[in-house]
């Protein structure tokens, strides 16, 4: 994050706002105001965040701290939600809600991919993905955990392969059970319901949940990444992230698919994966 930028994320209990400020700014120069369900975060000459919070919060229990990052200091403001356990916020502020869909990146993850035609000592191809955890918190958390492998057992993308690739359409992977697209699992059990269809397939690099049952509501570990706008998938497939880096790798994998789109002519394996710092 560069100075002046901000992100936010949430749990059922609280909201965290992360603001990048210049390294020259000292703590006493930062002003964090949360009053009457409104928020304003500023430092000299810059108002980084301002607006009416999307939901109700416990103002008196707000805390903040600041630590160093690579390009800036990161100011982290934590505000408990009032009546924790309610519906997730779709936006940080009501003003943002009025402006449209919130595509704030809450987590960054990576997939390192190697083709079977490449030597093991060659560096893998990396895809970096940003997750829209404020819009689809359950689906994003499932994918994040499968990238880190923190739940243990088969719930890890490492050493799984892409099982489908269609040039100019999409690639699919993430079958942690059979490896061929006929199975999958999730951190919530065998499968979980569609979360929402808020994010549209409006550009290349959209990350979504590949549910195979007719009528949806059978999401698990399988996922897809698009290679272009695909509006016919809107309101049918749950999109929850996007490619931040490595769209050329997605295209490379797509070129490995057979012409019938049902199998891979060249295997593409996820040799490593995990979470990256924000």
């Amino acid at each position: 994050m560069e100075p002046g930028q901000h992100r936010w994320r949430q749990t059922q209990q609280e909201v965290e706002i992360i603001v990048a400020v210049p390294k020259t700014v000292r703590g006493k120069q930062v002003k964090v105001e949360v009053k009457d369900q409104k928020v304003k975060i500023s430092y000299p000459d810059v108002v980084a965040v301002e607006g009416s919070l999307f939901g109700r919060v416990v103002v008196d229990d707000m805390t903040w701290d600041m630590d160093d990052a690579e390009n800036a200091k990161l100011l982290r403001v934590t505000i408990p939600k009032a009546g924790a356990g309610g519906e997730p916020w779709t936006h940080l502020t009501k003003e943002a809600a009025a402006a449209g869909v919130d595509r704030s990146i809450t987590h960054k993850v990576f997939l390192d991919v190697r083709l079977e035609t490449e030597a093991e000592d060659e560096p893998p191809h990396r895809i970096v993905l940003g997750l829209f955890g404020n819009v689809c918190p359950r689906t994003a958390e499932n994918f994040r955990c499968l990238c880190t492998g923190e739940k243990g057992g088969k719930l890890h993308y490492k050493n799984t392969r892409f099982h489908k690739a269609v040039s100019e359409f999409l690639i699919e992977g993430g079958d942690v059970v059979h490896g061929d697209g006929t199975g999958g699992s999730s951190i919530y059990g065998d499968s979980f319901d569609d979360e929402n269809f808020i994010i549209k397939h409006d550009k290349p690099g959209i990350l979504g949940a590949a549910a195979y049952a007719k009528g949806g509501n059978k999401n698990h570990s399988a996922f897809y990444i698009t290679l272009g706008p695909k509006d016919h998938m809107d309101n049918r497939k749950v999109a929850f992230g996007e490619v931040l880096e490595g769209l050329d790798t997605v295209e490379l994998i797509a070129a490995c698919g057979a012409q019938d789109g049902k199998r891979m002519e060249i295997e593409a394996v996820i040799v490593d994966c995990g979470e990256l710092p924000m």
Side-chain angles (χ1 to χ4, degrees):
M1 291 174 61
E2 299 297 329
Q5 294 181 329
H6 78 273
R7 305 184 191 277
W8 73 283
R9 53 193 178 195
Q10 64 183 320
T11 65
Q12 286 189 321
Q13 291 75 34
E14 63 188 23
V15 173
E16 182 184 41
I17 308 169
I18 305 166
V19 179
V21 303
K23 285 183 173 289
T24 54
V25 171
R26 299 186 298 274
K28 64 181 181 181
Q29 295 177 290
V30 172
K31 196 169 185 180
V32 180
E33 303 172 75
V34 182
K35 185 178 180 181
D36 298 328
Q37 305 303 311
K38 295 182 179 181
V39 62
K40 183 177 181 180
I41 302 172
S42 61
Y43 55 89
D45 301 320
V46 176
V47 176
V49 179
E50 185 173 21
S52 300
L53 290 164
F54 188 82
R56 297 191 63 77
V57 296
V58 183
V59 175
D60 293 340
D61 292 340
M62 181 271 295
T63 61
W64 67 271
D65 58 31
M66 192 159 58
D67 53 44
D68 286 321
E70 184 176 351
N71 299 319
K73 291 181 178 179
L74 294 183
L75 169 66
R76 301 178 185 273
V77 180
T78 303
I79 316 171
K81 293 180 179 178
E87 289 295 316
W89 296 12
T90 57
H91 299 78
L92 176 60
T93 65
K94 293 177 181 178
E95 290 81 3
V101 175
D102 181 357
R103 292 198 181 197
S104 298
I105 304 297
T106 57
H107 297 86
K108 288 201 303 183
V109 295
F110 71 92
L111 305 174
D112 282 347
V113 181
R114 180 175 288 121
L115 307 186
E116 65 173 331
T117 54
E118 298 171 332
E120 290 189 5
D121 58 354
E122 289 186 48
H125 308 277
R126 173 162 289 194
I127 305 171
V128 177
L129 297 148
L131 307 183
F132 304 140
N134 293 321
V135 177
C136 294
R138 281 174 56 80
T139 314
E141 180 64 5
N142 181 64
F143 190 84
R144 186 194 69 79
C145 289
L146 282 155
C147 286
T148 65
E150 63 193 65
K151 299 297 183 180
K154 63 186 176 183
L155 296 174
H156 199 184
Y157 286 139
K158 187 173 181 179
N159 296 324
T160 63
R161 61 183 182 176
F162 287 88
H163 54 260
K164 180 178 181 179
V166 183
S167 182
E168 299 183 3
F169 180 30
L170 54 69
I171 61 173
E172 287 187 6
D175 181 348
V176 297
V177 177
H178 303 305
D180 60 4
T182 62
S185 189
S186 83
I187 65 172
Y188 310 115
D190 289 341
S191 65
F192 61 101
D193 288 350
D194 293 334
E195 193 161 12
N196 60 59
F197 304 112
I198 293 174
I199 301 298
K200 304 305 179 186
H201 300 78
D202 54 3
K203 63 179 181 178
I206 293 296
L207 169 68
Y212 287 96
K214 290 184 178 180
N217 285 326
K218 289 293 183 180
N219 301 295
H220 38 61
S221 52
F223 65 89
Y224 62 82
I225 302 173
T226 65
L227 284 158
K230 305 297 173 187
D231 58 5
H232 69 280
M233 299 174 71
D234 293 346
N235 303 313
R236 296 176 58 240
K237 299 289 187 179
V238 178
F240 62 92
E242 66 181 355
V243 173
L244 301 179
E245 301 172 26
L247 193 58
D248 56 337
T249 297
V250 177
E251 294 170 344
L252 179 66
I253 297 168
C256 295
Q259 287 189 341
D260 61 10
K262 296 179 180 180
R263 58 187 176 85
M264 300 293 288
E265 289 192 339
I266 300 173
E267 282 201 1
V269 178
I270 299 172
V271 296
D272 198 10
C273 50
E275 187 169 8
L276 297 169
M278 290 291 289

